[in-house]
Amino acid sequence: MIEIMAKTTKTRILILSDTHGEKFPESHYPQIKADVAIHCGDMTEQSKLSEFHITLDLLKTLDAPLKLVIAGNHDFTLDLPIFKQKIAQAGLEGEPGLVAREYGQYGEVRQLFDEAREFHNIHLLDEGMHKFILANGATLSVYASPYTASPTADWGYQFLPGDSHNFVIDQGTDIAITHSPPEGVLDRSGAKKRIGIPDVFQAVEHARPKLHCFGHVHEGWGAKLVAWRDFDPSQKASYFTAIDNGQSMSLDTLASFRRGKFDDEDTAAAKSARLAGFESQGCRPTSHCVGDDHPIVSGKHTLFVNASISGDPAMPFHLPWLVDLDLPLQELK
């Protein structure tokens, strides 16, 4: 039997997250044109109207004809029940003018994104599946979810760790965009504790998209190309059981660029020079197309990317990721 391979085209995807109302430093601005730009949430620090305007201005300047955005826990004004709850907790129910000046009226931020979609092709994605036809002729299927787990669940799009949330990713999905990392992949906090969500990992393992991008855990910045094991679908997947670590590879983490405890001067200088090379481009590029050293095979690999921009005093700004993937071409009728 002859297998007919679907036609694909190389597609360039710029990924960032957790900008928290900040602009790109001029020295770090991404210089490369992309087919799609993705923001994985936490567009703001305090969900203020001014911060949303800053992020929208940032997105408008990116050289990509399509921009996809999800909310994060800091973007709570987009989660109206939580927004109203926070106003009540602050005792500001009787100060609608003050609230509107700082945070906008209920629904005003979403209206900003409705206008941005119409005039700038910036799409705020609600939870679920979305499909796009790109300017390069590729089709793109995306799963989006802003939800994270929290011990208090009092910020936007959060649930308690003891509860579950149904992350439903269709088979054949190209890209999963979540704010939370999956448990076990690029999800270690500053305290070295894994704080990713098991349900996210299980959903991604079940669907095995080409790319899963996220943020939320700033210290988890990096990328890992995962090879999947042949796994019994009746069992509950975890990062212990479902990943073939012998065939997987870490592309970079923050440790790739920071001087380690046991690094000598030459090693530290090499790390610094390598980082400077990426900073001159304004991104960390990686390509996984047919003909590359590490092509992604559908159903066998997923590239995980934590694209948290926000850093710490040692490295206050992390680089966006620029990922090249093969995506299917739109079928001509």
Side-chain angles (χ1 to χ4, degrees), residues 10 286-296 324-326:
K10 180 178 178 179
T286 186
S287 186
H288 301 277
C289 301
V290 173
D292 290 333
D293 290 339
H294 302 285
I296 289 176
D324 288 346
L325 294 177
D326 288 320

PDB file of all heavy atoms in Angstrom, residues 10 286-296 324-326:
ATOM      1  N   LYS A  10       7.193  25.091   5.504  1.00  0.00           N
ATOM      2  CA  LYS A  10       7.926  25.572   6.673  1.00  0.00           C
ATOM      3  C   LYS A  10       7.240  26.815   7.219  1.00  0.00           C
ATOM      4  O   LYS A  10       6.968  27.767   6.478  1.00  0.00           O
ATOM      5  CB  LYS A  10       9.368  25.883   6.286  1.00  0.00           C
ATOM      6  CG  LYS A  10      10.241  26.397   7.417  1.00  0.00           C
ATOM      7  CD  LYS A  10      11.657  26.626   6.910  1.00  0.00           C
ATOM      8  CE  LYS A  10      12.562  27.191   7.980  1.00  0.00           C
ATOM      9  NZ  LYS A  10      13.947  27.397   7.468  1.00  0.00           N
ATOM     10  N   THR A 286      15.163  27.883  16.761  1.00  0.00           N
ATOM     11  CA  THR A 286      15.347  26.443  16.630  1.00  0.00           C
ATOM     12  C   THR A 286      14.446  25.951  15.505  1.00  0.00           C
ATOM     13  O   THR A 286      13.349  26.473  15.311  1.00  0.00           O
ATOM     14  CB  THR A 286      15.036  25.704  17.951  1.00  0.00           C
ATOM     15  OG1 THR A 286      15.364  24.313  17.809  1.00  0.00           O
ATOM     16  CG2 THR A 286      13.577  25.835  18.362  1.00  0.00           C
ATOM     17  N   SER A 287      14.926  24.976  14.727  1.00  0.00           N
ATOM     18  CA  SER A 287      14.176  24.502  13.561  1.00  0.00           C
ATOM     19  C   SER A 287      14.053  22.987  13.609  1.00  0.00           C
ATOM     20  O   SER A 287      15.037  22.278  13.876  1.00  0.00           O
ATOM     21  CB  SER A 287      14.882  24.930  12.267  1.00  0.00           C
ATOM     22  OG  SER A 287      14.106  24.593  11.136  1.00  0.00           O
ATOM     23  N   HIS A 288      12.838  22.494  13.338  1.00  0.00           N
ATOM     24  CA  HIS A 288      12.555  21.060  13.443  1.00  0.00           C
ATOM     25  C   HIS A 288      11.721  20.591  12.258  1.00  0.00           C
ATOM     26  O   HIS A 288      10.708  19.896  12.417  1.00  0.00           O
ATOM     27  CB  HIS A 288      11.856  20.779  14.775  1.00  0.00           C
ATOM     28  CG  HIS A 288      12.676  21.195  15.956  1.00  0.00           C
ATOM     29  ND1 HIS A 288      13.658  20.392  16.486  1.00  0.00           N
ATOM     30  CD2 HIS A 288      12.706  22.356  16.654  1.00  0.00           C
ATOM     31  CE1 HIS A 288      14.251  21.033  17.488  1.00  0.00           C
ATOM     32  NE2 HIS A 288      13.690  22.225  17.606  1.00  0.00           N
ATOM     33  N   CYS A 289      12.169  20.968  11.075  1.00  0.00           N
ATOM     34  CA  CYS A 289      11.496  20.620   9.828  1.00  0.00           C
ATOM     35  C   CYS A 289      12.200  19.434   9.161  1.00  0.00           C
ATOM     36  O   CYS A 289      13.288  19.032   9.579  1.00  0.00           O
ATOM     37  CB  CYS A 289      11.487  21.818   8.878  1.00  0.00           C
ATOM     38  SG  CYS A 289      10.664  23.278   9.549  1.00  0.00           S
ATOM     39  N   VAL A 290      11.577  18.899   8.127  1.00  0.00           N
ATOM     40  CA  VAL A 290      12.195  17.838   7.338  1.00  0.00           C
ATOM     41  C   VAL A 290      13.541  18.340   6.816  1.00  0.00           C
ATOM     42  O   VAL A 290      13.643  19.454   6.286  1.00  0.00           O
ATOM     43  CB  VAL A 290      11.278  17.423   6.173  1.00  0.00           C
ATOM     44  CG1 VAL A 290      11.993  16.446   5.254  1.00  0.00           C
ATOM     45  CG2 VAL A 290       9.998  16.796   6.706  1.00  0.00           C
ATOM     46  N   GLY A 291      14.565  17.539   6.986  1.00  0.00           N
ATOM     47  CA  GLY A 291      15.903  17.930   6.567  1.00  0.00           C
ATOM     48  C   GLY A 291      16.741  18.520   7.677  1.00  0.00           C
ATOM     49  O   GLY A 291      17.971  18.615   7.545  1.00  0.00           O
ATOM     50  N   ASP A 292      16.113  18.933   8.796  1.00  0.00           N
ATOM     51  CA  ASP A 292      16.871  19.417   9.952  1.00  0.00           C
ATOM     52  C   ASP A 292      17.454  18.240  10.724  1.00  0.00           C
ATOM     53  O   ASP A 292      17.067  17.084  10.524  1.00  0.00           O
ATOM     54  CB  ASP A 292      15.969  20.244  10.864  1.00  0.00           C
ATOM     55  CG  ASP A 292      15.573  21.578  10.257  1.00  0.00           C
ATOM     56  OD1 ASP A 292      16.345  22.098   9.434  1.00  0.00           O
ATOM     57  OD2 ASP A 292      14.485  22.084  10.613  1.00  0.00           O
ATOM     58  N   ASP A 293      18.356  18.534  11.639  1.00  0.00           N
ATOM     59  CA  ASP A 293      18.973  17.480  12.444  1.00  0.00           C
ATOM     60  C   ASP A 293      17.957  16.754  13.324  1.00  0.00           C
ATOM     61  O   ASP A 293      18.087  15.554  13.574  1.00  0.00           O
ATOM     62  CB  ASP A 293      20.079  18.070  13.321  1.00  0.00           C
ATOM     63  CG  ASP A 293      21.290  18.522  12.516  1.00  0.00           C
ATOM     64  OD1 ASP A 293      21.457  18.036  11.380  1.00  0.00           O
ATOM     65  OD2 ASP A 293      22.046  19.367  13.028  1.00  0.00           O
ATOM     66  N   HIS A 294      16.959  17.491  13.788  1.00  0.00           N
ATOM     67  CA  HIS A 294      15.984  16.905  14.708  1.00  0.00           C
ATOM     68  C   HIS A 294      14.566  17.265  14.259  1.00  0.00           C
ATOM     69  O   HIS A 294      13.872  18.068  14.917  1.00  0.00           O
ATOM     70  CB  HIS A 294      16.236  17.372  16.143  1.00  0.00           C
ATOM     71  CG  HIS A 294      17.612  17.051  16.641  1.00  0.00           C
ATOM     72  ND1 HIS A 294      17.982  15.777  17.013  1.00  0.00           N
ATOM     73  CD2 HIS A 294      18.711  17.843  16.780  1.00  0.00           C
ATOM     74  CE1 HIS A 294      19.250  15.792  17.395  1.00  0.00           C
ATOM     75  NE2 HIS A 294      19.713  17.020  17.258  1.00  0.00           N
ATOM     76  N   PRO A 295      14.104  16.672  13.173  1.00  0.00           N
ATOM     77  CA  PRO A 295      12.741  16.977  12.697  1.00  0.00           C
ATOM     78  C   PRO A 295      11.694  16.393  13.630  1.00  0.00           C
ATOM     79  O   PRO A 295      11.903  15.327  14.226  1.00  0.00           O
ATOM     80  CB  PRO A 295      12.704  16.313  11.321  1.00  0.00           C
ATOM     81  CG  PRO A 295      13.683  15.188  11.420  1.00  0.00           C
ATOM     82  CD  PRO A 295      14.780  15.682  12.321  1.00  0.00           C
ATOM     83  N   ILE A 296      10.572  17.093  13.747  1.00  0.00           N
ATOM     84  CA  ILE A 296       9.460  16.588  14.548  1.00  0.00           C
ATOM     85  C   ILE A 296       8.625  15.650  13.691  1.00  0.00           C
ATOM     86  O   ILE A 296       8.189  16.021  12.603  1.00  0.00           O
ATOM     87  CB  ILE A 296       8.606  17.752  15.083  1.00  0.00           C
ATOM     88  CG1 ILE A 296       9.395  18.502  16.167  1.00  0.00           C
ATOM     89  CG2 ILE A 296       7.274  17.247  15.636  1.00  0.00           C
ATOM     90  CD1 ILE A 296       8.694  19.727  16.694  1.00  0.00           C
ATOM     91  N   ASP A 324      10.744  26.919  13.944  1.00  0.00           N
ATOM     92  CA  ASP A 324      10.337  26.543  12.589  1.00  0.00           C
ATOM     93  C   ASP A 324       9.749  25.137  12.605  1.00  0.00           C
ATOM     94  O   ASP A 324      10.388  24.198  13.109  1.00  0.00           O
ATOM     95  CB  ASP A 324      11.528  26.570  11.630  1.00  0.00           C
ATOM     96  CG  ASP A 324      11.995  27.978  11.307  1.00  0.00           C
ATOM     97  OD1 ASP A 324      11.245  28.923  11.600  1.00  0.00           O
ATOM     98  OD2 ASP A 324      13.112  28.134  10.777  1.00  0.00           O
ATOM     99  N   LEU A 325       8.538  25.004  12.069  1.00  0.00           N
ATOM    100  CA  LEU A 325       7.836  23.726  11.993  1.00  0.00           C
ATOM    101  C   LEU A 325       7.291  23.519  10.586  1.00  0.00           C
ATOM    102  O   LEU A 325       6.986  24.484   9.880  1.00  0.00           O
ATOM    103  CB  LEU A 325       6.653  23.690  12.969  1.00  0.00           C
ATOM    104  CG  LEU A 325       6.910  23.733  14.466  1.00  0.00           C
ATOM    105  CD1 LEU A 325       5.577  23.750  15.200  1.00  0.00           C
ATOM    106  CD2 LEU A 325       7.749  22.548  14.910  1.00  0.00           C
ATOM    107  N   ASP A 326       7.105  22.257  10.205  1.00  0.00           N
ATOM    108  CA  ASP A 326       6.358  21.939   9.005  1.00  0.00           C
ATOM    109  C   ASP A 326       4.883  21.856   9.359  1.00  0.00           C
ATOM    110  O   ASP A 326       4.494  21.084  10.240  1.00  0.00           O
ATOM    111  CB  ASP A 326       6.797  20.572   8.429  1.00  0.00           C
ATOM    112  CG  ASP A 326       8.175  20.636   7.801  1.00  0.00           C
ATOM    113  OD1 ASP A 326       8.483  21.638   7.142  1.00  0.00           O
ATOM    114  OD2 ASP A 326       8.953  19.669   7.966  1.00  0.00           O
TER     115      ASP A 326
END
